[in-house]
Amino acid sequence: MRPRRCIFFRRSCHIERFEDIKKALYTGASYVVIPYEKTFPKEEVRKGIDRFGRDRIIVEFNADIDKPDHAYESVRLLEELKDLGVAKFILKHVTVSPAMNRILENCPLPVIVRDSLVRNDIATILSMPNCCGIATNYYEGKNILKVKRSLRDQGIATICLESSVSFADMKTNEHGLIPVVVQDYRTLQVLMVAYMNEEAFNKTIETGRMTYWSRSRNELWVKGETSGHYQFVKELRIDCDNDTLLAKVHQLGAACHTGETSCFFTELCRKEFADFNPLTVLTEDYNVIMDRKVNPKEGSYTNYLFDKGIDKILKKCGEEATEITIAAKNPDAEELKYEIADYLFHLMVLMVECDVDWNDIVKELANRRKS
Amino acid sequence: MEKNIIAYINAENAFSASVLELAMSYEQNGADGLYIYNYDDNETTQMHFLQTVMSYRAV
């Protein structure tokens, strides 16, 4: 099962500078789409590729022969763009024809066809050689998963949810049910536990929305159908005994019927322990620093830094970074740990001052790993 | 070759909230990607557009 999320983003029809590409990719977009023009900023694109890596830029052409951005038939130009590090091409206003098929066949990179789908049949477009997808607004408000499943049945390799283990091979209880532990896909917080029967499992795979079997109502239960608090499947796993499912979901609103994020909000007992989860620790420290900024505390070093302002914070970050480099030359790792912790503290003060949080950083890192 | 269904959203003259709502709806309905564009060259509009795309990332 393969969850996906990527953002194509078009800055404008006049990207002229590397700065424009930078700003666009800094939004978190996976790609920036640049329409081809006679004054195509090749050098700026090259700079963008040097900075952000290959395969982050898509070039769009117009298939309409009378338009100025009609240049996709020049194989030499396409090869040049490929060598530059362009990821894909987008071709708009395509008329399906044998001639177009030949052009696409010779295209050195995969092509996304942009089409309103009013005239053309999606299956025909997706079957064109070298066509890796279609960009369309035709499916607004429609169930795209269903469309993809139907296309797959026609032999087109669309990306659908598919289980590697069939329900028949899972161990259910005497009522034909299997428990499902549900986690938030970002925080991994356990949200709830529910049960699925075969119908609920198949419906979950088919629709991408978590569907359970309600043991109290004795009926199929699409989570969120009444409350709007849907759960969208990101990943499903099964345990070593094939008798419990683990679902990572994108939860809209609260998972619990009480309005709590998680159903596990009641503490039964607790023994003090130190939380060693890196992101939890960093996030909690960040929140304390944020709280100092909002509710200043007399004598607080953090407030001293905020009062002095950005220049002081930057100076401290610079000093702490230098101390790391000195400590790293020391064979005793303890000093290095201490200096890194000091640096991270000052870095978080800077992050709070500049309104950047750990989620932003983690997303950026995840985005780089993806691309 | 895997075939992607990508939703495209024209963000020109659209409220940020409605672009975000539409983007979320496409994603939840199974789109493999989103192609959000804005042809407007006005600097302020473009800044606003960048903010919108950034907000989507944060959702």
Side-chain angles (χ1 to χ4, degrees), chain A residues 2 4-5 8-11 14 27 60 126 131-136 144-145 148 157 186 209 364, chain B residues 2-4 6-8 26-30 32 34-39 41 46 49 56-59:
Chain A
R2 206 176 137 186
R4 281 194 157 206
R5 177 179 181 177
F8 293 102
F9 165 64
R10 179 173 197 150
R11 161 71 169 82
H14 294 294
T27 61
E60 182 175 81
L126 289 176
C131 172
C132 67
I134 182 157
T136 181
I144 300 171
L145 276 174
K148 291 201 289 188
R186 280 181 283 211
R209 292 169 195 228
E364 177 58 34
Chain B
E2 273 184 344
K3 311 282 183 171
N4 291 267
I6 297 151
Y8 75 73
Y26 273 130
E27 185 181 342
Q28 287 155 6
N29 279 310
D32 298 313
L34 287 173
Y35 174 18
I36 310 172
Y37 68 93
N38 189 341
Y39 284 106
D41 276 341
Q46 279 300 331
F49 175 51
Y56 175 65
R57 183 195 178 197
V59 174

Side-chain angles (χ1 to χ4, degrees), chain A residues 227-238:
Chain A
S227 62
H229 295 168
Y230 287 103
Q231 293 174 336
F232 296 95
V233 181
K234 290 290 182 186
E235 183 183 85
L236 288 182
R237 285 177 174 269
I238 193 156

Side-chain angles (χ1 to χ4, degrees), chain A residues 340-358:
Chain A
I340 290 176
D342 256 3
Y343 176 71
L344 284 173
F345 164 75
H346 288 93
L347 189 69
M348 285 189 278
V349 174
L350 178 66
M351 286 162 64
V352 169
E353 180 70 11
C354 298
D355 201 20
V356 171
D357 67 22
W358 282 115

